[in-house]
Amino acid sequence: MEPQAATEGRRRIDSLVRAVARLPVKVRTKLLIAFVGTSLLLVAVGLLGQLVLGQSNDRVASIRALQERAVEYSRLNAAAEYLRDVLAQNVGDDFNVVWPDAAPDVIRGTYSLAVDLSAVDAAIGVASKTAADQLGFTPPPDDQFILQEIETTADRLARLIEQRLIPLYDGPTIAIDDEAAIEEMLPIRARAERYASDLYTDAAKLANGTREEIQDLIERNASSFASSRALFIGVAAGALVLALLLGFVLSWSLIGPIQRIDDRLAAIASGDFSGHVDVENRDELGALGANVNRMNDELRRLYTELAETSRHKSEFLASMSHELRTPLNAIIGFSQVLREEMFGSVNEKQAEYLDDIISSGNHLLSLINDVLDLSKVEAGQVELEVRPFSLRDALESGVVMVRERATDDGVQVDLAATPDVDVIEGDERRIKQVIFNLLSNAVKFTPAGGAVDVRAARVNGEVRISVADTGPGIAPGDHARIFEEFQQSEAGLEQREGTGLGLPLSKRFVELHGGRIWLESELGKGSTFVFTLPARSS
């Protein structure tokens, strides 16, 4: 059983299809709307993709700027570290002595003027690296405050060394025995080292903070990229689904009515006029559906009238044929009595006239019988007397019936039937009538010296009988026409013989048995009439 959700979804889609079908716009307008809608969805997806790509480029640019800042802050940190290391070098390890009356953390030793001068240069270098033109970028407000502190501290350190420490030197070094100079230098140097430590701490804070900011930005960029990618994929998938839904709804609002109209037209072609096509569209397809319904109603009316007329015609022909046969039989019978001179002799001229009367009467009787049979078939009044009979005997009987005329006309008639063709089930009288019609036509249209071949065999579960002649042949355009009532080929019209009902009757009798009949012929190459019967044997 179909899930409830699927049923509900199908119902909603069907409602949407019907809503689109009922829009009072033309088909080309609907197609244009669908094309524009799909194009807009593609444009929206493209714009979103461009936005996502732009945001990604902005994030990359932000990371690049932070990396440049980190490089400069790392250089500043390295300069501050170098300054601290330079100041730390100005204590000779070989002369380190802790005096008893000094503070526990005070180190006394030998100090170098060159080292302090290098420290001054290093401090000036640190201060210069805080300038915006040296950094190559404009620092953020928080960094500007720290950079200002670094610059101020570096300037103080440089001035402290220049103005307080360097003047204490009276040579390249201050030795350990220069107790007065060392006593004056130690607090100044401790202060300088605190400045250097503060510089290193501030510079490290800038460098480490920038690196952390880069790492945080990278993580945020990765998360933002994943979100943007998911958004883009979602929007693209949504746009694709909408485009498919739009195409599906629009196509079925057109295909559905076309299929229903096609089904109704197929039913009309098969003779079913009982239904109507239901088209809800308010466009050209709706107008087409309404016209099909009107045509259906009109054809049903005409078909009813035609069927009634055909029934009346069949009834009239049957009645007329029956009424005509009674006096015609009397005419033929009395003419035969006179021709046989049962009530007196007749002269040669009278005998000739009586022969003409009998011949014309028999021809007219044959015509009336064919018309009566055809009218019965059309009226559905023919009931086949199906029973087993010998098809071989029926074929031989037909050949015997036409052999006298064939011999007179110089036409040879041959019969060949395979051993498995014998007893079948069918209406023997009707089958014999079909065989006689085909044989008489073949003999009639075969010139002197020609031949008529009759063949019978079992093929693919059915019995196939063929009657081939060496006559003038039948044009391809007449192959179907000669099976219609009162229609004849060009050769038949030239001979002015026949009623044009033999082949139509033969076709009806064969089809009543569940078989088929057809013609194989070319002009100048003779004709072959073939019919089949179900191979139901007793």
Side-chain angles (χ1 to χ4, degrees):
M1 187 173 181
E2 191 173 10
Q4 182 67 24
T7 303
E8 184 65 23
R10 181 175 297 177
R11 187 179 297 113
R12 290 179 179 177
I13 292 179
D14 290 341
S15 300
L16 186 58
V17 170
R18 287 194 297 270
V20 172
R22 287 193 293 266
L23 290 175
V25 294
K26 294 183 177 181
V27 172
R28 62 182 179 183
T29 304
K30 293 180 181 179
L31 293 175
L32 180 61
I33 292 174
F35 175 77
V36 172
T38 304
S39 300
L40 290 177
L41 289 175
L42 293 176
V43 170
V45 171
L47 291 177
L48 179 61
Q50 187 176 6
L51 178 61
V52 170
L53 183 61
Q55 291 177 344
S56 178
N57 290 336
D58 292 342
R59 289 192 290 268
V60 171
S62 299
I63 292 175
R64 185 180 298 111
L66 281 176
Q67 288 174 338
E68 293 176 356
R69 190 192 311 172
V71 170
E72 296 301 326
Y73 287 167
S74 296
R75 291 176 181 174
L76 179 61
N77 186 31
E81 185 178 12
Y82 172 74
L83 172 59
R84 187 186 64 176
D85 293 341
V86 168
L87 289 176
Q89 290 176 7
N90 219 352
V91 176
D93 293 338
D94 296 338
F95 303 100
N96 286 347
V97 177
V98 179
W99 287 16
D101 57 349
D105 58 346
V106 175
I107 299 177
R108 300 174 183 274
T110 301
Y111 299 94
S112 170
L113 175 61
V115 171
D116 284 338
L117 290 174
S118 296
V120 172
D121 293 337
I124 294 173
V126 169
S128 66
K129 291 183 182 299
T130 61
D133 57 345
Q134 290 292 324
L135 293 173
F137 59 88
T138 302
D142 292 342
D143 291 358
Q144 286 182 354
F145 177 77
I146 297 176
L147 290 171
Q148 186 65 39
E149 288 292 325
I150 292 175
E151 183 182 10
T152 301
T153 303
D155 289 339
R156 289 176 180 175
L157 177 58
R159 287 197 301 271
L160 179 64
I161 296 173
E162 285 181 339
Q163 296 176 5
R164 299 290 300 279
L165 287 179
I166 292 178
L168 295 177
Y169 287 91
D170 56 359
T173 61
I174 299 178
I176 192 173
D177 55 356
D178 193 349
E179 182 178 349
I182 291 177
E183 287 290 341
E184 185 178 358
M185 179 181 292
L186 286 179
I188 300 172
R189 189 166 297 280
R191 184 178 175 187
E193 289 178 354
R194 286 197 300 274
Y195 283 158
S197 178
D198 291 342
L199 287 173
Y200 177 77
T201 300
D202 290 341
K205 182 178 179 180
L206 286 176
N208 294 335
T210 304
R211 282 194 289 270
E212 291 175 359
E213 189 176 353
I214 290 174
Q215 187 62 34
D216 179 65
L217 182 59
I218 290 175
E219 293 176 358
R220 286 190 288 109
N221 283 348
S223 176
S224 178
F225 177 76
S227 300
S228 298
R229 182 177 59 186
L231 176 62
F232 178 76
I233 293 175
V235 171
L240 178 61
V241 170
L242 286 176
L244 291 176
L245 179 62
L246 180 61
F248 177 82
V249 169
L250 180 61
S251 63
W252 273 106
S253 70
L254 303 177
I255 294 174
I258 291 175
Q259 289 181 340
R260 292 194 292 273
I261 292 173
D262 181 67
D263 292 342
R264 183 87 285 274
L265 289 174
I268 292 173
S270 64
D272 178 13
F273 307 105
S274 60
H276 274 176
V277 60
D278 183 18
V279 178
E280 299 177 348
N281 293 49
R282 299 172 64 184
D283 50 25
E284 293 91 338
L285 293 178
L288 178 60
N291 290 332
V292 169
N293 289 332
R294 284 194 293 270
M295 179 186 70
N296 178 86
D297 294 340
E298 182 64 18
L299 286 176
R300 178 170 55 190
R301 183 185 66 81
L302 294 175
Y303 185 80
T304 303
E305 293 180 357
L306 182 61
E308 186 69 16
T309 302
S310 178
R311 186 180 64 83
H312 289 313
K313 181 204 72 173
S314 299
E315 292 176 354
F316 169 75
L317 289 176
S319 176
M320 181 192 68
S321 300
H322 179 74
E323 294 297 330
L324 288 176
R325 282 200 301 181
T326 301
L328 187 58
N329 284 327
I331 293 173
I332 295 174
F334 287 128
S335 297
Q336 289 175 341
V337 168
L338 293 175
R339 182 67 180 85
E340 293 175 2
E341 300 181 353
M342 297 177 62
F343 297 101
S345 61
V346 294
N347 58 40
E348 183 179 352
K349 197 63 175 179
Q350 290 172 336
E352 182 181 350
Y353 288 157
L354 287 172
D355 287 338
D356 290 340
I357 292 172
I358 294 172
S359 176
S360 299
N362 286 328
H363 179 71
L364 183 58
L365 181 60
S366 174
L367 174 60
I368 292 173
N369 288 333
D370 288 345
V371 170
L372 181 59
D373 287 340
L374 185 61
S375 63
K376 287 182 178 180
V377 171
E378 291 180 346
Q381 298 175 357
V382 174
E383 294 184 3
L384 299 178
E385 297 179 4
V386 179
R387 62 177 181 271
F389 72 96
S390 173
L391 179 61
R392 183 186 297 274
D393 290 346
L395 291 171
E396 290 176 351
S397 175
V399 170
V400 169
M401 292 176 65
V402 300
R403 179 158 287 161
E404 181 179 356
R405 177 175 178 177
T407 302
D408 293 340
D409 293 343
V411 177
Q412 182 180 354
V413 180
D414 295 323
L415 170 63
T418 58
D420 55 357
V421 175
D422 192 5
V423 179
I424 65 171
E425 290 184 354
D427 189 323
E428 182 178 4
R429 184 170 69 89
R430 301 300 184 185
I431 297 302
K432 283 185 175 181
Q433 188 174 351
V434 173
I435 295 172
F436 177 75
N437 285 339
L438 297 180
L439 282 171
S440 62
N441 283 342
V443 171
K444 179 171 59 177
F445 292 109
T446 301
V452 174
D453 292 327
V454 183
R455 299 286 182 267
R458 286 181 182 259
V459 180
N460 297 328
E462 60 185 9
V463 178
R464 179 172 296 182
I465 301 97
S466 64
V467 178
D469 62 56
T470 57
I474 299 174
D478 292 335
H479 284 194
R481 189 172 63 84
I482 61 174
F483 288 101
E484 299 175 2
E485 294 86 350
F486 305 105
Q487 299 293 324
Q488 291 182 306
S489 64
E490 294 294 333
L493 293 174
E494 290 176 0
Q495 289 196 5
R496 300 174 180 242
E497 292 187 22
T499 62
L501 293 176
L503 289 178
L505 274 173
S506 299
K507 182 175 184 293
R508 301 293 179 88
F509 290 150
V510 170
E511 290 176 349
L512 285 174
H513 281 81
R516 299 171 294 123
I517 186 170
W518 68 90
L519 167 65
E520 299 172 356
S521 178
E522 293 183 23
L523 286 176
K525 296 184 179 181
S527 303
T528 301
F529 285 87
V530 186
F531 71 95
T532 63
L533 296 172
R536 296 189 295 267
S537 61
S538 59

